[in-house]
Amino acid sequence: MIANGTQSVSTSDDSTARSETSVTDDIPLGSPRVDDAVIEARDLDVYYGDDQALDGIHMDIPERKVTALIGPSGCGKSTFLRSINRMNDLIDIARVEGDLYFHGKNVYDDDVDPVALRRKIGMIFQSPNPFPKSIRDNVAYGLKVQGKDENVDEKVRTALERAALLEEVDGQLDSSGLDLSGGQQQRLCIARAIAPDPEVVLMDEPASALDPIATSKIEDLIEDLAEEYTVVIVTHNMQQAARISDKTAVFLTGGELVEFDNTEKIFENPESDRVEDYITGKFG
Ligand code: ADP
């Protein structure tokens, strides 16, 4: 496995088709088996030591839609999210079995560089975590790491605009990112994540530390982001999932994916009694 993100991981058969993409941010790609699916989980199990956190997950995540992962605490939502861009690799005792395809390529194959993968599949965490740097440097960070240092100012402004923050911070891009409000800091982190132009944005309860007004701005932003990116969001807030997602996956105890369908169907007419009980608040 190549652990250094600056090295090429292209395979010979895909390099021509994507010759405009720098090899430094490339990963080998295949073809999805399911139309419109950008991520496909097949029989995916995750263990922490001897404890199983995910059990046989099968899910096709559609491109440029918002997919919400819901379910009671401890049922494996964050674990699944982290398995998509191999963040679980960073947890010593985590072990993954089964397959997780990104554009038809198994991300757990030996020739996939997790660092390159995470450039294509960015992540936003529960608490905003801007660097103690200026707003500009926060957003420029990922660009510089990747050597994308042409037109940085323009790219920074575009990312801030896409993250619905530019209007509020224009003229003060040299101020510290830490001086922003919590909601603005989270939008700054979103700008930082999308500046290098990933395809997928994973969000782990991105609004749970925010007040209702900041939450509503993040929700509007997530819906807008899905015009350009595939968004997968973990939320403990069922109303939020109902408001902003196109697809909803319901995980229940034991790390089982019990139902995955269009959000309307899950909330209005779920197939499973367990999902209905969960949605209607009978447990969880
Ligand atoms: P959720 O996101 O649905 O709350 P998690 O994915 O965080 O669920 O956790 C699923 C299970 O895996 C839980 O039993 C949790 O205790 C366990 N788990 C999560 N992260 C770790 C970790 N880093 N080390 C050991 N066990 C973990």
Side-chain angles (χ1 to χ4, degrees):
M1 182 184 306
I2 299 169
N4 181 341
T6 61
Q7 294 182 40
S8 165
V9 290
S10 286
T11 54
S12 53
D13 59 348
D14 75 334
S15 53
T16 321
R18 287 170 298 113
S19 56
E20 286 177 14
T21 312
S22 154
V23 291
T24 58
D25 62 2
D26 229 350
I27 61 163
L29 301 176
S31 302
R33 292 116 223 269
V34 175
D35 280 353
D36 298 332
V38 63
I39 293 157
E40 297 158 275
R42 293 288 178 274
D43 222 355
L44 189 81
D45 301 328
V46 178
Y47 297 83
Y48 295 105
D50 292 334
D51 298 327
Q52 186 163 10
L54 285 179
D55 186 5
I57 305 301
H58 184 110
M59 197 192 305
D60 299 320
I61 296 180
E63 196 160 24
R64 295 186 193 195
K65 300 267 189 254
V66 179
T67 295
L69 313 180
I70 66 170
S73 182
C75 63
K77 305 180 295 295
S78 300
T79 298
F80 179 66
L81 198 72
R82 290 195 303 262
S83 70
I84 296 174
N85 69 348
R86 293 187 50 175
M87 291 289 277
N88 286 327
D89 288 15
L90 307 176
I91 301 172
D92 278 352
I93 58 169
R95 181 165 52 86
V96 176
E97 288 178 6
D99 301 319
L100 195 293
Y101 298 96
F102 174 53
H103 288 295
K105 172 71 184 171
N106 191 340
V107 305
Y108 289 96
D109 282 352
D110 285 347
D111 58 349
V112 173
D113 171 9
V115 176
L117 179 71
R118 288 177 207 134
R119 290 194 193 114
K120 298 271 187 194
I121 307 181
M123 192 148 186
I124 303 293
F125 299 90
Q126 187 166 354
S127 297
N129 57 350
F131 302 133
K133 293 171 177 283
S134 68
I135 293 170
R136 185 194 318 278
D137 288 350
N138 262 284
V139 182
Y141 179 83
L143 295 167
K144 289 189 174 154
V145 168
Q146 291 186 42
K148 292 184 173 174
D149 31 23
E150 278 173 25
N151 306 322
V152 168
D153 273 356
E154 193 188 317
K155 288 176 185 163
V156 165
R157 292 180 69 80
T158 303
L160 285 168
E161 190 161 20
R162 280 186 185 161
L165 186 58
L166 184 62
E167 225 171 81
E168 290 162 53
V169 300
D170 209 3
Q172 42 170 315
L173 300 191
D174 292 314
S175 314
S176 171
L178 298 178
D179 291 339
L180 298 172
S181 70
Q184 288 173 323
Q185 287 190 11
Q186 194 59 305
R187 281 179 281 141
L188 178 62
C189 293
I190 292 172
R192 185 176 66 195
I194 63 179
D197 228 9
E199 285 190 50
V200 179
V201 183
L202 308 176
M203 299 188 170
D204 198 349
E205 304 208 19
S208 64
L210 305 178
D211 64 46
I213 291 172
T215 296
S216 150
K217 282 190 181 165
I218 295 279
E219 288 186 2
D220 290 346
L221 171 58
I222 290 169
E223 290 186 279
D224 290 346
L225 287 176
E227 287 170 19
E228 287 185 64
Y229 307 98
T230 300
V231 178
V232 187
I233 176 174
V234 169
T235 176
H236 65 265
N237 180 333
M238 279 195 272
Q239 287 74 26
Q240 182 170 75
R243 278 194 297 269
I244 66 173
S245 70
D246 302 287
K247 293 268 183 185
T248 296
V250 187
F251 288 74
L252 294 177
T253 316
E256 189 190 344
L257 172 59
V258 178
E259 199 163 336
F260 176 55
D261 210 325
N262 293 331
T263 294
E264 246 179 56
K265 166 95 172 112
I266 292 284
F267 282 93
E268 287 171 15
N269 186 21
E271 296 289 323
S272 153
D273 291 344
R274 291 162 70 199
V275 170
E276 178 150 14
D277 286 351
Y278 177 68
I279 300 283
T280 54
K282 286 196 186 140
F283 78 93

